[in-house]
Amino acid sequence: MAKTKTAWFCKECGAESPKYLGRCTACGTWNSLVEQTMVVGKKTSGIQDSVANLPIPVGELNSDESPRLDLRSVELNRVLGGGLVTGSLVLLGGEPGIGKSTLALQLSLRLKGTSILYVSGEESYRQLKLRADRIGITNQDCLLYCETDLETILHQAGQINPRLVVIDSIQTVLSADVESSPGSVSQIRECTGKILQFAKKNNIPFLIIGHITKEGSIAGPKILEHMVDTVLQFEGDQNYVYRIVRAIKNRFGSTSEIGIFEMQQSGLREVSNPSELLLTQRENEISGIAVAATMEGNRPILIETQALVSSAAYGTPQRSAIGFDVRRLNMLLAVLEKRVGFKLAFKDVFLNLAGGIKADDPALDLSVISAILSSDLNLTIPQGVCFAAEIGLTGEIRPVGRIEQRIAEAQKLGFTAIYLSKYNQKGLDPKRFTIQMRFVTRVEEVFQSLFR
Ligand code: TYD
Ligand code: MG
């Protein structure tokens, strides 16, 4: 006979507690425990005499047993580390309205010839049809299924045996074994656990969509992130058309890659050359703008850094940065003040990476400094110039990695000169590039060369 029991779960980390506590003992968050009733099935006790599942020597395992499913999307394949590993669980998180359902449906419709089960607990068949019409691809191999009962969904998945199951979203499905409402901590925990078991047993990958709460975590508990193999975050600014898919956890690949998409009237378009999207075309040169040759994962991207320096009108000077770490900005300002002798302590400094992109490549440093100096002196930096170097605390210009890729990208986009650290010069074949390489060791040299 199944029994019911009450337990308390932490909204933040999913830890279970038998009684209410003001503070979660696992993650230390205050007032995060919520009460939940669960139906507990009969537990088998003692050691079982089963021979169904036996340990296997590692040498007998065949590594080809988990081939990857090509998603026919260069961007997504790259973020996943070369396609979707069969039997893996991928969580796609993002704020409401960012385009998660669009991405998942578009992906499912594109995979012609591969059987796919697209489960939606959020939309009706009519809404799904409208979305599919908007994307404009028809695919007979993609089965749509509006259902929220997890056992029914898994039963269907077992019958159909598709190559991929999409669940939109984990907050809407519910398992009959748990007596709480969909989206609650214990439901999400139970459902993900069941999906995990099913996926590994049947070797079917699942793409699970999850909403992100206002606090920025994938709703509700972090436990979901521990259970799945890969966590993808779909992010972007509502004010910009492009969206970025970023892997924040990946058991089968790197987490440094990003995929860039542009939201259009007919679904998402892959952006294969992001620099073109991020660099603004200008007629005139304006002060306070410098371009950095950065890397996102294995891909070079040119990003425009914009700075505005003005006298602090109201007491304490303001320092703010959009898309760039403000602590790093403060450090760079201190270097400019102490090592190069620029008096910026009484000035407001605003920094922005154009296009709403966020980046933390140290190679941005030189570009940030140059943009700040350009704005402060009101002198422009020629449009054909870009930068790729880190700044040390002593004011020295330090080398950065993957320098050839950065130079090649800058050259491809029509830049005529690039400022680099002298320490990057060794091993670089100057005949390979037509772009002029200006090697520097100190900030003063850049300053003199730019604004002579
Ligand atoms: P949606 O996929 O519903 O977001 P989510 O599932 O993350 O909540 O997409 C939301 C937005 O995308 C919505 O504002 C409409 C827009 N959109 C387009 O611009 N073009 C399209 O082709 C589609 C399908 C949606
Ligand atoms: Mg949706």
Side-chain angles (χ1 to χ4, degrees):
M1 242 290 279
K3 286 188 298 187
T4 57
K5 81 164 196 184
T6 350
W8 295 81
F9 287 100
C10 171
K11 275 190 291 189
E12 292 301 317
C13 70
E16 189 180 336
S17 161
K19 61 176 199 296
Y20 179 77
L21 297 169
R23 188 179 188 194
C24 171
T25 47
C27 68
T29 316
W30 287 96
N31 205 14
S32 63
L33 295 194
V34 284
E35 188 178 15
Q36 232 116 70
T37 323
M38 296 190 297
V39 180
V40 207
K42 202 174 125 243
K43 285 235 168 83
T44 45
S45 59
I47 301 160
Q48 282 194 352
D49 196 10
S50 158
V51 282
N53 194 5
L54 288 176
I56 311 169
V58 70
E60 282 176 26
L61 289 173
N62 192 351
S63 58
D64 312 334
E65 267 174 15
S66 61
R68 291 174 185 253
L69 175 68
D70 176 6
L71 295 178
R72 291 183 213 164
S73 155
V74 181
E75 301 293 305
L76 275 179
N77 280 345
R78 181 190 20 244
V79 175
L80 288 169
L84 186 62
V85 173
T86 49
S88 70
L89 245 60
V90 177
L91 176 66
L92 176 66
E95 286 175 16
I98 202 83
K100 301 179 295 298
S101 307
T102 311
L103 182 69
L105 186 63
Q106 185 166 349
L107 171 111
S108 310
L109 292 176
R110 274 229 208 107
L111 285 169
K112 285 188 187 155
T114 310
S115 100
I116 288 180
L117 182 63
Y118 184 100
V119 183
S120 180
E122 306 221 323
E123 285 153 312
S124 64
Y125 286 109
R126 212 184 95 78
Q127 284 170 312
L128 287 174
K129 171 82 177 111
L130 285 175
R131 194 191 290 270
D133 286 348
R134 207 167 160 187
I135 293 168
I137 311 174
T138 48
N139 180 359
Q140 292 305 325
D141 305 308
C142 174
L143 301 174
L144 299 179
Y145 192 33
C146 293
E147 179 59 63
T148 54
D149 183 68
L150 185 75
E151 281 76 25
T152 317
I153 294 169
L154 293 185
H155 174 74
Q156 281 300 332
Q159 296 286 308
I160 299 163
N161 194 23
R163 292 285 312 278
L164 170 67
V165 181
V166 177
I167 307 256
D168 186 5
S169 65
I170 190 70
Q171 277 94 0
T172 56
V173 292
L174 76 164
S175 164
D177 288 353
V178 182
E179 243 184 31
S180 53
S181 54
S184 64
V185 180
S186 49
Q187 274 292 358
I188 291 183
R189 220 165 109 121
E190 180 75 15
C191 291
T192 315
K194 285 201 168 151
I195 294 174
L196 183 73
Q197 269 183 9
F198 181 89
K200 301 287 168 203
K201 192 163 153 244
N202 297 284
N203 213 16
I204 299 174
F206 275 70
L207 178 67
I208 302 171
I209 293 177
H211 295 293
I212 282 188
T213 57
K214 276 199 282 314
E215 294 84 40
S217 62
I218 292 173
K222 273 261 184 299
I223 189 96
L224 206 58
E225 296 184 17
H226 302 313
M227 287 165 105
V228 299
D229 298 301
T230 304
V231 181
L232 300 182
Q233 190 128 308
F234 203 24
E235 49 187 51
D237 198 309
Q238 296 286 357
N239 302 323
Y240 296 100
V241 285
Y242 62 84
R243 307 274 181 265
I244 292 173
V245 181
R246 197 185 289 276
I248 49 179
K249 163 182 174 179
N250 195 353
R251 283 194 185 139
F252 310 110
S254 112
T255 49
S256 59
E257 295 294 339
I258 61 167
I260 306 184
F261 296 87
E262 186 182 343
M263 184 58 96
Q264 293 187 328
Q265 280 307 309
S266 56
L268 291 151
R269 181 184 74 91
E270 307 213 342
V271 177
S272 48
N273 190 355
S275 303
E276 275 173 16
L277 197 81
L278 294 170
L279 295 179
T280 36
Q281 303 299 320
R282 279 185 309 272
E283 295 287 308
N284 306 317
E285 287 172 355
I286 309 166
S287 68
I289 289 176
V291 176
T294 70
M295 297 291 297
E296 275 289 346
N298 286 322
R299 187 160 51 163
I301 299 183
L302 272 85
I303 299 179
E304 194 176 283
T305 50
Q306 306 174 337
L308 182 67
V309 180
S310 66
S311 308
Y314 313 99
T316 324
Q318 295 186 54
R319 266 86 222 265
S320 85
I322 302 171
F324 190 77
D325 184 4
V326 76
R327 281 170 305 179
R328 188 138 193 112
L329 171 65
N330 281 327
M331 185 210 94
L332 293 174
L333 289 172
V335 169
L336 279 182
E337 179 105 24
K338 177 96 182 171
R339 307 282 176 199
V340 201
F342 272 87
K343 295 286 165 249
L344 295 165
F346 298 106
K347 298 200 170 158
D348 288 340
V349 179
F350 305 97
L351 184 77
N352 180 25
L353 300 193
I357 197 151
K358 290 191 198 82
D360 58 1
D361 184 352
L364 276 158
D365 288 357
L366 189 56
S367 172
V368 167
I369 281 204
S370 305
I372 292 171
L373 293 182
S374 161
S375 174
D376 189 37
L377 302 165
N378 206 15
L379 292 172
T380 60
I381 296 171
Q383 278 201 28
V385 171
C386 63
F387 306 84
E390 187 184 341
I391 310 279
L393 282 179
T394 55
E396 52 161 0
I397 296 182
R398 297 167 48 84
V400 287
R402 298 178 187 260
I403 199 70
E404 302 215 344
Q405 271 173 280
R406 299 176 198 260
I407 301 172
E409 177 75 3
Q411 182 173 313
K412 199 173 89 193
L413 289 163
F415 283 83
T416 50
I418 181 165
Y419 281 85
L420 305 163
S421 164
K422 198 163 210 149
Y423 305 110
N424 267 134
Q425 194 169 10
K426 213 169 61 188
L428 256 184
D429 180 8
K431 284 189 230 83
R432 256 197 72 195
F433 303 104
T434 53
I435 186 170
Q436 189 196 2
M437 292 182 259
R438 297 185 186 159
F439 296 101
V440 279
T441 48
R442 302 207 53 84
V443 177
E444 299 90 303
E445 284 173 53
V446 185
F447 170 64
Q448 274 155 16
S449 150
L450 278 174
F451 313 114
R452 227 169 318 156

